[in-house]
Structure formats: C-alpha cells, structure tokens
Amino acid sequence: MSGAREATARPRATAAALRRRAVPAVAAVLTVVAGLSVRSVLTGDIAKYAGDALYALLIFWLVLVVAPPTRGWVAAVVACGFSVAIELFQLTGVPATLGAHSTLARLVLGTTFNAPDLPWYAVGAAVGWALHRLMVPRGPGVRAGRPSAHRRA
C-alpha cells in the first residue's frame, strides 16, 4: 500500500473502531440509566428482576466496548456467565462483607445469593443479543457486523 493510501486508511480505520465502540458504550450508559430508573420508579419483584436483567445487559454492552469484533451470541454467553458467576460468588459471603463497607461493591457484586435471579441474567443477555442483531448491518458480504475478507470498503 502506498504511503498516501496508508495515511488515509488509518484515520478511517480509527474512526470505524471508535464507532464500533461508541454504540455499545452509549447503550451501556442508557442501560445504567434504565437500571437506576427502574429501581426508583418500580418496587418489589418487578424492579428486582428487571434490575437483574439490566445487569446482564450492561455486561453484554461492556463486552462489546472492550472487544468490538465479538459476535453478539458470544457477548451474550459471556454476560450471562459473568452474571451467574457473580451471583454464585455471593454464596461465599465476600460480596456481603465488601458491600457493608462500599456502596459501589454492593451495587456491582450484590450481597446475597438468590436462585430466582439466575434466569433473569439469561433474559438480559438474550435482550442484548437481540438488540445487537437489530443494530448490526446485514446483507451480502456482511456477517455478524464484519465485512467478509474479499469485500473491501
């Protein structure tokens, strides 16, 4: 590739990489806002389980911010697995101890294990995957948001 072509290709690649991260980053912020809103507007089981689903959805978006080329289904599996792991970690009592000293730890790790939370993590991850499928361009030569190797922009 000539020097001039390389010079114009780099900014375009950088802009594309920023766009691939910007969409899930904005979605993550909106998910946090939705989570805080749900807890302040709703009460009881609806608020609790919506919060669980939104927690997994947030992890889904964060996976795509950190690793933009990740396929949606992989991000969903990671988000669900991470959420379940945190829930199981609560069985150790460590999150409850940390949560007693830190609001942030309490928000991120929770405090007590609750088995009915587990399916709601799968719901949140599935919602993320479905939203991601709606946002990713589809068409000839495009698979999971990535152009095929033979197609050049």
Side-chain angles (χ1 to χ4, degrees):
M1 190 181 280
S2 73
R5 287 177 76 189
E6 280 183 32
T8 57
R10 264 187 249 126
R12 271 191 259 149
T14 302
L18 287 174
R19 277 193 305 275
R20 281 195 311 267
R21 282 189 163 92
V23 171
V26 169
V29 170
L30 293 174
T31 302
V32 170
V33 169
L36 295 173
S37 299
V38 162
R39 291 292 188 152
S40 65
V41 173
L42 301 174
T43 59
D45 287 345
I46 294 173
K48 181 179 181 355
Y49 296 128
D52 292 338
L54 288 167
Y55 181 87
L57 181 58
L58 174 62
I59 301 303
F60 176 88
W61 295 127
L62 293 177
V63 167
L64 293 176
V65 168
V66 172
T70 303
R71 292 177 180 258
W73 71 268
V74 173
V77 169
V78 170
C80 188
F82 181 84
S83 301
V84 168
I86 293 296
E87 190 72 29
L88 294 173
F89 183 49
Q90 293 169 356
L91 289 168
T92 67
V94 172
T97 302
L98 294 172
H101 302 291
S102 166
T103 302
L104 181 60
R106 191 169 46 256
L107 288 172
V108 173
L109 300 175
T111 56
T112 54
F113 175 79
N114 186 31
D117 291 350
L118 298 174
W120 291 101
Y121 298 135
V123 169
V127 166
W129 175 77
L131 290 171
H132 185 257
R133 284 192 56 93
L134 291 173
M135 295 180 341
V136 171
R138 299 267 180 228
V142 177
R143 190 173 133 191
R146 290 178 278 188
S148 63
H150 67 274
R151 183 176 165 213
R152 301 280 181 223

